[in-house]
Amino acid sequence: MTSTTSLFHPVEADVDLLTDNLKQLVSARHPILFAAAEYLFGAGGKRLRPAIVLLVSKATTPAQEITERHRRLAEITEMIHTASLVHDDVVDDSDMRRGLPTVHSSFGNRIAVLAGDFLFAQSSWYLANLDNLEVVKLLSEVIMDLAEGEIQQGLRRFDTSLSLEEYLEKSYYKTASLIANSAKAAGVLSDVPEDVAENLYEYGRNLGLAFQIVDDILDFTSSEEMLGKPAGSDLKNGNLTAPVLYAMQEFPGLETLIEREFKQEGDLPQALSIIDDSQGIALSRQLATEHTVRARECLAQLPKTESYQTLMDLTEYVTRRLH
């Protein structure tokens, strides 16, 4: 499988520079933040979101250059993403992420919440200093969407009435909004026409939805070692994802196990077995592929540069993670 490092070849050096800059931007204020920054930005994340911003920046500027404002937008994007992960881990009481201890398990809940708050606040400060109102609006909406997605997920735990449309809406808030709005913002900073900016948004939205659907499939098909968390943990926590929703349509008895929150012995293994026997995984793969096809169609107006090709290749990388 192609690694994200090799996939991001046109901006590989820029992504490395971004990681170094993030540590410096965040860690200068306090020793605890320094420790958290070293952990957060040295934890081996894929850097998918800022890489997309950098690729869109190169693909939409005449000389294929990345300006300082584009670089700062990429840094803001990763700050927002990381802040949301820190808060998510506190809400979900997750001890591991990417195979490493989470911030709250290393530093305690109080420091983790404050570190997340600090990252959101600092990203907002740097965002305001871009002096572009449209970009400020786009990324501010992302921060609202992330909170909305987390609230929706919390309110709909073990809720078997959740529809596929509602699942996709929650997935947009939690994952796709940041990718969509930051891709569009990169185009706005490049002064692209409005229709091109809208297509960049749709590219990010569809890519983000596909990415989340694939993540939700991997929660059932990958090992704990590969996931960096226990397999099936979303279902155990009552987060109903595409494979579960499709499986419930095929095997209504699954609803009973979910509604009693797997409280009887053997409930969770039985539920996992039902999902494995159903068409849930296959139908979810198909749904993810449909979104990657739409994402590719949204790039038609871009010049056929190396960065354009990488953005195209990213859509295939998302579904290749399943193999």
Side-chain angles (χ1 to χ4, degrees):
M1 183 174 70
T2 307
S3 71
T4 46
T5 306
S6 60
L7 183 61
F8 296 151
H9 174 68
V11 293
E12 197 172 328
D14 301 290
V15 171
D16 290 340
L17 178 63
L18 172 135
T19 302
D20 292 338
N21 285 347
L22 282 169
K23 288 181 184 178
Q24 292 173 18
L25 286 172
V26 172
S27 65
R29 302 286 287 274
H30 195 280
I32 287 289
L33 287 172
F34 178 80
E38 283 289 317
Y39 170 81
L40 291 167
F41 301 120
K46 291 182 281 288
R47 306 282 184 264
L48 176 73
R49 292 149 187 84
I52 290 171
V53 170
L54 295 167
L55 287 164
V56 169
S57 304
K58 286 193 82 164
T60 53
T61 50
Q64 295 182 52
E65 62 176 341
I66 300 174
T67 68
E68 287 307 310
R69 295 170 87 206
H70 284 121
R71 289 187 194 281
R72 184 47 53 89
L73 175 64
E75 292 161 4
I76 291 165
T77 298
E78 186 67 355
M79 275 188 199
I80 292 172
H81 173 57
T82 305
S84 72
L85 295 184
V86 174
H87 281 176
D88 284 1
D89 287 339
V90 173
V91 171
D92 298 339
D93 197 23
S94 301
D95 292 329
M96 302 290 287
R97 181 177 287 279
R98 300 165 183 158
L100 295 170
T102 54
V103 174
H104 86 90
S105 67
S106 299
F107 299 98
N109 278 358
R110 186 174 181 180
I111 292 298
V113 170
L114 292 172
D117 289 348
F118 179 81
L119 284 172
F120 276 129
Q122 194 161 37
S123 66
S124 299
W125 165 255
Y126 287 122
L127 185 59
N129 279 278
L130 287 176
D131 288 328
N132 186 303
L133 184 57
E134 186 174 0
V135 171
V136 170
K137 288 179 178 179
L138 289 169
L139 273 294
S140 297
E141 188 168 338
V142 170
I143 296 174
M144 289 192 295
D145 286 346
L146 286 166
E148 174 71 21
E150 199 60 40
I151 290 166
Q152 280 193 17
Q153 182 165 294
L155 292 175
R156 303 300 296 272
R157 290 175 70 243
F158 300 104
D159 183 353
T160 56
S161 70
L162 184 77
S163 68
L164 188 65
E165 290 72 25
E166 288 168 328
Y167 157 76
L168 288 172
E169 180 182 60
K170 181 193 70 176
S171 298
Y172 171 77
Y173 287 143
K174 284 182 64 68
T175 302
S177 174
L178 179 56
I179 300 173
N181 284 293
S182 61
K184 181 177 180 179
V188 169
L189 290 178
S190 300
D191 293 322
V192 299
E194 192 172 330
D195 61 329
V196 175
E198 196 54 38
N199 276 330
L200 289 169
Y201 168 86
E202 286 297 326
Y203 168 81
R205 186 180 75 84
N206 282 290
L207 186 74
L209 288 174
F211 195 88
Q212 185 59 57
I213 295 163
V214 168
D215 259 9
D216 293 337
I217 294 169
L218 290 172
D219 190 55
F220 294 101
T221 61
S222 277
S223 65
E224 181 173 343
E225 184 181 359
M226 287 190 68
L227 287 173
K229 62 177 182 178
S233 59
D234 280 339
L235 179 62
K236 183 180 179 182
N237 290 328
N239 298 328
L240 308 189
T241 58
V244 183
L245 298 178
Y246 283 125
M248 278 197 300
Q249 292 173 7
E250 194 176 344
F251 296 102
L254 179 57
E255 289 185 22
T256 304
L257 303 175
I258 294 169
E259 285 169 357
R260 69 181 180 221
E261 301 183 10
F262 311 117
K263 286 181 178 169
Q264 294 186 19
E265 189 176 350
D267 275 0
L268 185 60
Q270 187 182 349
L272 292 170
S273 178
I274 290 171
I275 293 162
D276 190 48
D277 290 341
S278 75
Q279 290 298 304
I281 301 294
L283 290 170
S284 299
R285 286 175 191 262
Q286 185 179 320
L287 182 63
T289 301
E290 287 169 7
H291 282 289
T292 59
V293 169
R294 289 178 205 159
R296 283 195 289 276
E297 291 169 351
C298 293
L299 297 176
Q301 293 166 286
L302 295 185
K304 306 306 180 277
T305 61
E306 187 182 19
S307 296
Y308 156 83
Q309 189 56 52
T310 301
L311 290 167
M312 290 286 282
D313 293 344
L314 261 175
T315 63
E316 295 179 12
Y317 162 77
V318 168
T319 48
R320 273 206 310 273
R321 294 163 65 223
L322 293 170
H323 302 296

